[in-house]
């Protein structure tokens, strides 16, 4: 039952794109037969980062842009956990941009769902890294002057094995994509177009519905095709899994992580004392 994962009332605005993302994730976890105690969601700061408060799973809500480091640590300590990172475009691509890049390089088994509304919604609508040039906000009163950050192209260039784009107005497609990302071995990025109904009056549900489409894909391991799709933006915006090609994970490259989970190995402080004594 999806209610196994739904928890409490939210503080989101009526009509927020986050609602369908929460429902899609709860349904995906339920259909994959996860139990709440088997799942950890890590987040930073922002409206999207409130997700661990609203789902009945293990949660870690930390600093702005710092959701990936504790997620990696948790995954290393307990390889039985399904570890998910949920955050916004500002949190993951702005403050957490450095972690975003190097996490892809390391390739831990983590599903990363980014609620991309093209503004900082929690702090009332400043431009984010993915805001389109020319977009006017209360801070960028003359319009955004910088080109938008392209997370999918960056992920592909860095060697990510799973790269996808979804739209929160297409919940069934979002749920099925989340399931594929959760089952993927390695780092999986799903960039989710999520309209902010309060502070982004440009990229609305209607704006997206006129533009999004599902392209015909020849093969999911065709990197050149994925790059071309990642560059499409404007009048036509493709959705789907652009790339799916596993490569060795961080866990598989570390012998200490291939046997028992670290949390199952007895902690022996006396052994640590011996090591400390060698350096004193």
């Amino acid at each position: 039952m999806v209610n196994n994962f739904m928890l409490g009332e939210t503080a989101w605005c009526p009509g927020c794109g986050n609602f369908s993302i929460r429902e899609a994730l709860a349904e995906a976890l339920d259909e994959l037969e996860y139990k709440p105690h088997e799942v950890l969601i890590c987040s930073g700061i922002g409206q999207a980062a409130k997700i661990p408060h609203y789902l009945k799973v293990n949660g870690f809500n930390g600093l702005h842009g710092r959701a990936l480091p504790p997620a990696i640590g948790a995954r290393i300590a307990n390889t039985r956990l399904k570890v998910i990172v949920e955050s916004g475009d500002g949190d993951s691509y702005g403050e957490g941009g450095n972690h975003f890049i190097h996490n892809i390089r390391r390739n831990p088994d983590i599903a990363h769902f980014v609620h991309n509304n093209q503004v900082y919604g929690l702090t009332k609508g400043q431009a984010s890294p993915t805001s389109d040039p020319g977009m006017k906000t209360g801070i960028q009163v003359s319009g955004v002057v910088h080109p938008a950050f392209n997370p999918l192209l960056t992920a592909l260039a860095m060697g990510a094995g799973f790269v996808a784009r979804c739209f929160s107005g297409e919940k069934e497609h979002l749920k099925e994509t989340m399931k594929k990302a959760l089952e993927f071995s390695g780092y999986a990025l799903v960039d989710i177009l999520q309209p902010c109904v309060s502070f982004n009056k440009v990229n609305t549900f209607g704006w997206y519905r006129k533009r999004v489409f599902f392209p015909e894909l020849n093969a999911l391991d065709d990197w050149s095709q994925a790059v071309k799709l990642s560059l499409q933006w404007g009048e036509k915006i493709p959705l789907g899994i652009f790339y799916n090609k596993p490569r060795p994970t961080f866990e598989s490259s570390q012998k200490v992580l291939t046997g028992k989970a670290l949390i199952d190995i007895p902690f022996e402080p006396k052994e640590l004392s011996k090591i400390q004594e060698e350096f004193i």
Side-chain angles (χ1 to χ4, degrees):
M1 295 290 290
V2 69
N3 286 335
N4 286 342
F5 291 96
M6 301 297 269
L7 182 67
E9 297 292 324
T10 74
W12 293 326
C13 304
C16 176
N18 282 335
F19 285 105
S20 58
I21 298 175
R22 182 176 78 138
E23 292 173 8
L25 179 56
E27 292 175 13
L29 291 171
D30 182 66
E31 292 179 20
L32 292 176
E33 300 183 349
Y34 283 106
K35 302 294 186 296
H37 72 276
E38 298 171 333
V39 179
L40 168 69
I41 297 181
C42 294
S43 69
I45 297 297
Q47 294 291 0
K50 294 177 180 176
I51 277 277
H53 309 178
Y54 305 148
L55 287 173
K56 197 186 303 178
V57 296
N58 300 293
F60 181 93
N61 190 199
L63 301 174
H64 206 352
R66 305 295 180 255
L68 282 164
I72 296 170
R75 174 65 191 171
I76 290 172
N78 186 358
T79 48
R80 295 197 303 272
L81 269 180
K82 172 47 65 180
V83 179
I84 300 166
V85 169
E86 292 256 352
S87 70
D89 44 306
D91 195 53
S92 274
Y93 305 145
E95 283 81 359
N98 186 47
H99 298 304
F100 173 61
I101 291 170
H102 292 285
N103 183 71
I104 295 171
R105 189 167 60 84
R106 297 184 181 108
N107 199 35
D109 197 336
I110 290 173
H112 190 181
F113 302 140
V114 182
H115 305 212
N116 185 355
N117 59 19
Q118 299 176 261
V119 292
Y120 281 92
L122 183 68
T123 47
K124 306 196 184 309
Q126 301 94 331
S128 82
T130 56
S131 298
D132 288 322
M135 179 181 180
K136 293 182 179 179
T137 76
I139 301 297
Q140 290 77 25
V141 294
S142 299
V144 173
V145 297
H146 303 299
F149 178 73
N150 187 327
L152 303 185
L153 181 61
T154 302
L156 289 164
M158 289 300 301
F162 187 102
V163 178
R165 177 190 284 139
C166 292
F167 169 43
S168 64
E170 295 282 351
K171 196 183 87 173
E172 192 64 21
H173 174 258
L174 173 58
K175 180 189 73 176
E176 294 301 322
T177 304
M178 283 178 157
K179 287 166 67 176
K180 295 280 177 49
L182 291 166
E183 292 179 311
F184 184 76
S185 177
Y187 172 77
L189 172 68
V190 182
D191 186 68
I192 307 166
L193 305 175
Q194 174 254 312
C196 174
V197 295
S198 293
F199 299 110
N200 187 340
K201 303 300 184 185
V202 177
N203 309 109
T204 63
F205 278 98
W207 189 90
Y208 281 116
R209 289 197 188 284
K210 289 179 183 175
R211 291 166 171 78
V212 296
F213 73 104
F214 296 96
E216 187 173 333
L217 301 173
N218 297 322
L220 293 182
D221 61 353
D222 186 334
W223 190 82
S224 297
Q225 173 186 256
V227 168
K228 287 179 183 176
L229 290 169
S230 75
L231 289 168
Q232 286 191 43
W233 185 264
E235 293 306 310
K236 300 287 285 183
I237 301 175
L239 302 178
I241 299 171
F242 295 172
Y243 194 64
N244 185 342
K245 187 176 181 180
R247 63 183 176 88
T249 64
F250 176 84
E251 296 89 326
S252 67
S253 68
Q254 307 293 322
K255 287 185 179 178
V256 71
L257 300 178
T258 56
K260 283 185 176 180
L262 293 184
I263 61 164
D264 292 331
I265 299 175
F267 176 59
E268 298 291 351
K270 289 182 181 178
E271 296 298 320
L272 285 178
S273 297
K274 291 179 185 176
I275 296 172
Q276 284 179 324
E277 288 170 3
E278 293 180 11
F279 290 92
I280 294 175

